[in-house]
Amino acid sequence: MHFNTIIRRMKPCGSELMIQKMIGMIGSGSWATALVKILLEQADQTVNWWVRSDDVRKGLLSTGRNPKHLPDLQLDATRLHITGDLADVVKQSSHLFLAIPSAYIGDTLELIPSKAYEGHRFISAIKGVMPRRKKSVSMYLEQTLGASSNDICVVSGPSHAEEVAHGMPTFLTVASHSRSLIEEVERMLQCSYIHTRHTSDIDGVERCGLGKNIYAIAAGLCQGLGYGDNLNAVMTTAAFREMKDMLDTHVPNSDRDMNQSCYLGDLIVTCWSQHSRNRRLGEMVACGATTEEAFAAMGTVAEGYYSVKNLHEISHQFDLHMPIAEAVYRILYEHSDPREEIEKLIADVF
């Protein structure tokens, strides 16, 4: 089933279409915090928030601010049920937003029995594929937790948590096979600065989330090596072609329009934005840092590091020609020289 992708201008919070849901948030990083801000824009909406870190939990409870992520963002703590008890959040919520790195989602959700998730609807705001399990988040939710495909939704960008925190206009894509779930999530997210589009291409949106982080690392490598914006524009164009070929082969969809913002737009913002962690990782590696040193300096995870290994395996499985992604893989995992790899791309691909 395919839903045409359209811009939805959401109705005011007092709309008769508003249906109150019990919302749970799993994760406490920048994007989770920004999503909580969006959800709290509606005065009658509360959030059950699972926060693993004791320090973050204490900070939120005492000040309404996340001390580690977006610390300048003030949240209304009176409408937040903040806890370190995952089972309690799941029990108290009908809809669960997932906003933690893909590398940790399995270990986190399996802290409690899978039976606890029965009857829930899932909204994944996670970019990338689960590295050890080699699954997308939607595949994991269906195959491991037993969720129905009609109870799974993916929220994608282009979006950066830092801009959402400042109330800047942002367009989100809501992807699901269920029109009713799409409508529920759009109502939850409605506010003055959030605009939504929707699609049924959940596989394409998830795989794009995997690919664009890898190409942002490549963009950072080019920038860190001092090649400038001219080359980065060409690199981004080549990356778009490479990502399109991957999607057409791996998860084909005749209705997919790659020029839509959840594909092309998300790629552009991740490759070019100053807020992009993946771009920053590429810059630091180009300047001689190890990935371990880069992660320590950033204080957070860049999803592309894990995604590129998974895409490397996919490219071999499906015999895909992905020279940019392969170059990033060799640099990060085989310690190939960044300048030599980019020079090869300049000569052979760009």
Side-chain angles (χ1 to χ4, degrees):
M1 177 169 52
H2 175 72
F3 310 143
N4 290 328
T5 303
I6 59 174
I7 296 177
R8 301 258 315 202
R9 301 289 182 181
M10 300 312 300
K11 294 188 176 183
C13 293
S15 166
E16 63 183 3
L17 289 177
M18 172 57 65
I19 300 175
Q20 186 64 32
K21 302 295 180 183
M22 297 302 294
I23 303 170
M25 178 65 66
I26 299 178
S28 56
S30 295
W31 190 221
T33 304
L35 284 169
V36 169
K37 169 187 166 60
I38 295 171
L39 294 168
L40 292 181
E41 293 290 352
Q42 297 184 37
D44 61 345
Q45 203 155 254
T46 60
V47 178
N48 303 310
W49 195 356
W50 179 75
V51 179
R52 179 191 289 269
S53 167
D54 290 339
D55 291 339
V56 173
R57 195 162 57 247
K58 291 175 182 176
L60 285 166
L61 288 169
S62 61
T63 69
R65 298 175 186 267
N66 186 328
K68 291 187 178 180
H69 302 282
L70 307 181
D72 294 333
L73 177 59
Q74 180 68 56
L75 300 170
D76 182 0
T78 64
R79 291 190 288 128
L80 292 171
H81 170 218
I82 300 167
T83 178
D85 186 342
L86 179 61
D88 184 55
V89 167
V90 172
K91 182 179 179 180
Q92 299 297 328
S93 307
S94 59
H95 291 62
L96 297 173
F97 275 79
L98 310 178
I100 56 180
S102 59
Y104 310 133
I105 184 66
D107 291 342
T108 298
L109 295 185
E110 289 167 30
L111 289 171
I112 62 177
S114 59
K115 187 175 179 60
Y117 299 101
E118 290 181 0
H120 288 73
R121 308 197 92 173
F122 297 89
I123 302 98
S124 170
I126 299 171
K127 303 294 178 66
V129 171
M130 300 169 68
R132 287 187 288 109
R133 304 175 192 239
K134 302 176 184 177
K135 295 179 179 180
S136 66
V137 175
S138 65
M139 289 173 58
Y140 168 79
L141 293 173
E142 284 191 65
Q143 297 174 7
T144 304
L145 295 191
S148 164
S149 62
N150 286 327
D151 289 328
I152 299 171
C153 175
V154 171
V155 173
S156 185
S159 57
H160 279 299
E162 294 82 359
E163 294 187 358
V164 170
H166 289 92
M168 301 179 72
T170 300
F171 286 78
L172 299 178
T173 297
V174 181
S176 178
H177 298 303
S178 167
R179 185 181 294 274
S180 68
L181 181 54
I182 285 175
E183 292 174 351
E184 287 176 354
V185 174
E186 286 184 320
R187 288 195 290 268
M188 290 176 188
L189 298 175
Q190 67 181 23
C191 66
S192 61
Y193 53 89
I194 296 296
H195 309 270
T196 59
R197 292 170 167 162
H198 64 239
T199 179
S200 61
D201 185 23
I202 190 169
D203 291 331
V205 170
E206 282 191 302
R207 298 317 190 281
C208 182
L210 177 154
K212 57 102 178 183
N213 286 330
I214 296 167
Y215 299 121
I217 295 174
L221 288 164
C222 292
Q223 198 68 25
L225 292 169
Y227 286 109
D229 292 342
N230 293 339
L231 179 65
N232 246 334
V234 176
M235 193 289 301
T236 307
T237 303
F240 179 67
R241 293 195 301 267
E242 186 168 302
M243 186 169 69
K244 182 181 185 302
D245 290 342
M246 182 268 288
L247 292 178
D248 288 346
T249 302
H250 189 39
V251 284
N253 186 329
S254 60
D255 293 313
R256 181 183 297 131
D257 180 0
M258 287 294 294
N259 295 314
Q260 292 289 341
S261 60
C262 58
Y263 311 109
L264 178 58
D266 212 4
L267 174 68
I268 291 172
V269 77
T270 311
C271 286
W272 286 80
S273 175
Q274 62 179 328
H275 302 304
S276 172
R277 295 188 297 271
N278 291 280
R279 177 188 169 100
R280 181 59 180 151
L281 172 62
E283 291 176 352
M284 296 179 72
V285 169
C287 293
T290 65
T291 52
E292 292 80 6
E293 291 169 342
F295 286 154
M298 291 190 296
T300 188
V301 172
E303 294 274 18
Y305 174 76
Y306 302 106
S307 296
V308 73
K309 185 175 183 181
N310 183 266
L311 191 55
H312 168 75
E313 295 167 350
I314 291 174
S315 67
H316 284 270
Q317 179 182 354
F318 288 87
D319 195 26
L320 300 174
H321 181 60
M322 308 192 70
I324 303 174
E326 286 297 305
V328 173
Y329 173 81
R330 288 191 294 270
I331 291 168
L332 296 184
Y333 284 89
E334 297 178 356
H335 309 295
S336 183
D337 181 77
R339 189 171 296 278
E340 289 182 5
E341 291 290 349
I342 299 300
E343 289 291 340
K344 290 177 184 177
L345 291 174
I346 291 173
D348 301 333
V349 177
F350 299 163

